[in-house]
Amino acid sequence: MSTTTKREPQTEAVAGPVQRRGDVVFAGLAKGAGVLIMVALAGVGLFLLIEGAPAITASGDQAYGNDNIVLFVWPLLFGTLLASVIALLLAVPLALGVALVISHYAPRRIAKSLGYVIDLLAAIPSVVYGLWGAFVLAPAILPSYQWLAGHLGWLPFFEGPATTGRTILTASIVLAIMILPIVTAISREVFAQTPRMHEEAALALGATRWEMVRMTVFPYSRSGVISGIMLGLGRALGETMAVAMVLSVGIGVVTVNLISPQNPSTIAANIALNFGNASGTKINVLVFSGLVLFVISFAVNFFGRWIAARGQVKG
Amino acid sequence: MSSTITPPGPRADRDSMPLTNPQLPALAPWLAGVIAFGLAALTGLLLGWGWVGTAVLGWLLLLVVLPVWSLLVEGERRAKDRFVTTLVWSAFGLAMIPLVALIYQVVSKGAAVLSAEFLTYSMRGILGEGGGIYHALIGTFIVTTCATIMSVPIGVMAAIYLVEYGKGKKLARWITFLVDVMTGIPSIVAGLFAFALFTLIFGPAIRFGFGGAVALSVLMIPIVVRATEEMLKLVPDELREASYALGVPKWRTIVKVVLPTALGGIVTGVTLAIARVAGETAPLLIIAGTTTSTNFNPFEGRMMTLPVFIYSSVTTGGKYAAENEARAWGAALVLVAIVMILNLVARVIGRVFAPKTGR
């Protein structure tokens, strides 16, 4: 019986709940399913650890020509973080704008349909984004890179040479498009939860719409937006196919030059590109890099959810 | 309202102290847009810029023209408001560009390849033209079905535990939290997990369809749990209490009353989850592998799937790169169509069954 609901006194008045066999079995099954999920999550970490452990001693040819595993993982980790951070810088301002349009600026009638349209962006499979990024966006964006290299070449980011569109900046743009719907979805949800009274009070005091948004919506939804950004970051870190298909990879490169043909690869893309040909310890090396990715994205998601949960209690 | 008065108007009789501030006409943003983009088009034509440069210039002009006009007439605060409004709407417009461009490209390039042969032939023994995605369609269907069969019972039961049994318990709180975290697992990590698991069981270099299904389940279960949990929470407590009052055991109440009430929402959630995993590439690339022939047995041998087909078509390169790319676009169109139809079906189911949730 529901012993922990609000109506505790009444249920306790009954002389103890009757235990039926069906109830016990069903409750056990339900609990088992819940525990299985926890076990699965622990299993992901455990099996990656088992398969990745032999990689710690790998060196030379087995570690793709690096002296040890750290030297192998570091450039990939750098590429992963670089691509994700650029994607965030591009996506977050846009996502906040789109979320504001849907929650506050668009007329009520069409706001919902606009939301659906943005959700469509999330529905498109990542491999299709990769295909589009590699064969449509990359050639189309090359002139802009040449312009950047020509006019802003003194900045380390745009050193060039701009000979291909398949750069880490293009990959980041594709990533940005992919995480935009996630950040938008969470932001617009928390924007819409702003108490109506706060908004109306601001408007009644003569605030313009922007002042109303800045004074009531933003302070109220700060933690929600931050958690949305964290979740978007988590998604960008783990995104594989778009990067693998778009990027023209240089081996072991660590550079902030965003538009050269020699780009740092990302962990996920590197696994996808090399797993098919790998054998022996190389597989362990790749699995180990996957473990690193798992730990990082787990941490990012963990903090994202934690901030969200903390914000909910406060609100 | 002095909505049609021209800017100098209200200034002239300022001493009459009007009750309303001077305002720009309602059409002002559009007017400013026409002026800004007209000027940009003129400059672009004169200097021979591409349409990208012209559009950027037009947008920058708009960001200047409208706030400055507003500043002259309405004052600083309104000008700032108009500036932000323009920014916010242009963010939305900018976000639409990739969506429209992508769908246009996929449809126009994919439709050229689509034919009866494309859908009913596999790639067995084919190097240049011809061939199709039959094997990949079958593979995607089998792997996704296996994943669904595994994920739905586990996901729904876990959600039942969270809502019906675990309320307020520590274990349930942890599961809820971990399910949330699990939705963020990178898909390639799920693939590596399945690979590591089956390598330990069956030995190295294992590739088979069922492994892909296991990997997809890891991604699918959290989505199913979230969706089901939300729906079960919407079932009114009165229904449960009415059932208990009739002496129905709790598990029969859940099976016969709670689940049917929430069924529409659960089916919607499951359909969305299927749409999500049907497009996953990375885990299948790792554990299901690639092949050119049709394989109906998920427990034996490599199995091609649609997303992996797209990926491997464009990465093989070589002599027939053009034909391979064309086939990839065709497969992309089919995949996007499948995912969109699933999404649409989910929305329709959600709408049809919506009143049952009681809200």
Side-chain angles (χ1 to χ4, degrees):
Chain A
M1 293 281 146
S2 52
T3 47
T4 49
T5 51
K6 292 162 268 172
R7 290 162 299 284
E8 245 172 345
Q10 282 119 319
T11 38
E12 271 172 25
V14 181
V18 187
Q19 284 289 334
R20 294 189 185 83
R21 189 176 300 149
D23 265 343
V24 175
V25 170
F26 195 78
L29 280 177
K31 196 170 183 175
V35 172
L36 185 67
I37 290 178
M38 296 180 82
V39 171
L41 193 59
V44 172
L46 184 72
F47 285 113
L48 289 187
L49 201 61
I50 293 175
E51 273 296 294
I56 292 173
T57 55
S59 66
D61 186 44
Q62 292 165 332
Y64 290 92
N66 294 292
D67 286 338
N68 60 49
I69 188 75
V70 178
L71 290 178
F72 168 74
V73 172
W74 158 241
L76 296 173
L77 186 60
F78 173 80
T80 309
L81 294 176
L82 181 67
S84 309
V85 168
I86 300 172
L88 270 191
L89 290 180
L90 294 172
V92 168
L94 276 187
L96 293 183
V98 174
L100 270 184
V101 164
I102 296 171
S103 71
H104 283 86
Y105 277 74
R108 250 325 126 71
R109 261 180 309 126
I110 62 167
K112 206 168 183 189
S113 342
L114 294 183
Y116 280 146
V117 172
I118 293 294
D119 286 342
L120 280 187
L121 269 177
I124 293 170
S126 59
V127 68
V128 178
Y129 277 114
L131 189 66
W132 180 77
F135 289 94
V136 179
L137 182 63
I141 209 167
L142 182 57
S144 324
Y145 290 164
Q146 282 159 347
W147 186 88
L148 279 176
H151 292 79
L152 296 171
W154 46 275
L155 282 171
F157 309 114
F158 303 125
E159 231 167 67
T163 52
T164 172
R166 306 175 73 147
T167 67
I168 195 146
L169 189 54
T170 311
S172 301
I173 293 173
V174 177
L175 281 181
I177 299 171
M178 298 178 68
I179 61 174
L180 179 84
I182 301 171
V183 184
T184 302
I186 296 172
S187 307
R188 87 172 191 237
E189 229 163 76
V190 289
F191 285 167
Q193 277 170 5
T194 315
R196 195 96 194 109
M197 287 298 162
H198 292 195
E199 293 172 10
E200 280 167 9
L203 290 174
L205 288 170
T208 62
R209 187 151 51 172
W210 165 239
E211 285 163 347
M212 179 270 282
V213 167
R214 218 188 49 204
M215 290 189 300
T216 67
V217 178
F218 281 170
Y220 186 81
S221 48
R222 187 175 295 137
S223 70
V225 170
I226 290 174
S227 95
I229 292 172
M230 294 291 267
L231 297 182
L233 176 63
R235 185 72 183 275
L237 288 172
E239 182 44 50
T240 316
M241 304 321 294
V243 182
M245 291 168 83
V246 168
L247 209 56
S248 137
V249 178
I251 293 160
V253 184
V254 177
T255 171
V256 290
N257 187 350
L258 302 180
I259 55 173
S260 79
Q262 293 289 311
N263 295 285
S265 187
T266 70
I267 292 178
N270 183 62
I271 297 172
L273 289 172
N274 292 319
F275 205 82
N277 303 324
S279 59
T281 320
K282 281 188 175 178
I283 288 184
N284 300 117
V285 169
L286 291 177
V287 172
F288 183 84
S289 69
L291 180 66
V292 174
L293 176 66
F294 173 64
V295 171
I296 292 174
S297 64
F298 187 91
V300 167
N301 277 295
F302 193 91
F303 279 114
R305 293 293 177 190
W306 184 67
I307 293 171
R310 209 183 50 167
Q312 260 169 16
V313 175
K314 207 169 55 185
Chain B
M1 293 289 198
S2 58
S3 59
T4 50
I5 291 176
T6 41
R11 305 228 148 182
D13 50 2
R14 190 35 70 91
D15 43 358
S16 69
M17 292 292 280
L19 284 173
T20 51
N21 276 330
Q23 269 188 327
L24 291 185
L27 283 176
W30 303 104
L31 207 59
V34 170
I35 293 171
F37 281 96
L39 275 176
L42 210 62
T43 329
L45 278 179
L46 285 178
L47 301 178
W49 289 0
W51 63 270
V52 178
T54 311
V56 171
L57 179 68
W59 178 68
L60 289 176
L61 278 177
L62 177 63
L63 277 183
V64 175
V65 169
L66 187 60
V68 167
W69 186 10
S70 170
L71 184 67
L72 293 176
V73 180
E74 300 176 319
E76 196 198 328
R77 288 174 50 220
R78 292 289 182 84
K80 204 186 253 178
D81 184 48
R82 293 211 182 255
F83 178 72
V84 174
T85 307
T86 316
L87 270 187
V88 162
W89 275 102
S90 28
F92 187 81
L94 195 57
M96 285 293 97
I97 293 175
L99 181 66
V100 174
L102 189 142
I103 290 182
Y104 170 76
Q105 294 286 350
V106 168
V107 170
S108 64
K109 290 196 177 188
V113 193
L114 230 51
S115 64
E117 188 196 334
F118 187 68
L119 293 175
T120 51
Y121 276 64
S122 75
M123 286 298 292
R124 185 167 195 152
I126 287 172
L127 287 172
E129 271 187 54
I133 54 169
Y134 179 69
H135 58 314
L137 276 175
I138 293 295
T140 287
F141 178 75
I142 292 177
V143 171
T144 315
T145 309
C146 287
T148 310
I149 291 172
M150 280 186 286
S151 312
V152 170
I154 296 177
V156 170
M157 287 307 279
I160 288 176
Y161 172 72
L162 292 179
V163 176
E164 305 288 335
Y165 291 101
K167 243 182 214 169
K169 286 186 188 160
K170 207 163 194 178
L171 177 67
R173 274 215 305 278
W174 268 103
I175 292 175
T176 311
F177 188 71
L178 288 180
V179 163
D180 277 342
V181 173
M182 219 169 144
T183 50
I185 286 188
S187 57
I188 195 150
V189 168
L192 287 176
F193 159 68
F195 179 84
L197 176 67
F198 289 113
T199 301
L200 288 177
I201 300 176
F202 297 113
I206 177 87
R207 299 276 195 287
F208 64 137
F210 185 73
V214 170
L216 291 190
S217 295
V218 173
L219 301 170
M220 197 171 168
I221 287 172
I223 313 179
V224 175
V225 174
R226 294 298 316 171
T228 312
E229 203 188 343
E230 293 305 319
M231 284 306 131
L232 292 183
K233 276 182 189 163
L234 286 181
V235 175
D237 265 343
E238 287 81 356
L239 283 181
R240 297 190 181 92
E241 282 155 18
S243 175
Y244 295 150
L246 292 170
V248 182
K250 182 161 187 169
W251 74 275
R252 282 189 70 89
T253 306
I254 293 170
V255 173
K256 295 278 179 187
V257 177
V258 177
L259 281 183
T261 313
L263 189 65
I266 295 174
V267 174
T268 304
V270 170
T271 317
L272 286 176
I274 293 174
R276 162 89 201 281
V277 298
E280 281 297 347
T281 318
L284 298 175
L285 182 67
I286 284 179
I287 182 72
T290 58
T291 171
T292 55
S293 42
T294 317
N295 176 11
F296 286 98
N297 184 357
F299 299 99
E300 183 76 59
R302 292 162 176 251
M303 190 175 254
M304 192 58 132
T305 50
L306 261 184
V308 179
F309 177 85
I310 298 172
Y311 175 73
S312 66
S313 294
V314 297
T315 43
T316 28
K319 193 177 164 194
Y320 298 107
E323 285 88 350
N324 281 332
E325 193 200 320
R327 274 194 294 265
W329 283 106
L333 176 59
V334 174
L335 183 61
V336 169
I338 291 175
V339 171
M340 290 297 164
I341 289 171
L342 281 171
N343 267 287
L344 205 67
V345 168
R347 303 259 180 247
V348 170
I349 295 173
R351 190 155 302 169
V352 169
F353 287 91
K356 271 195 161 183
T357 59
R359 293 284 144 90

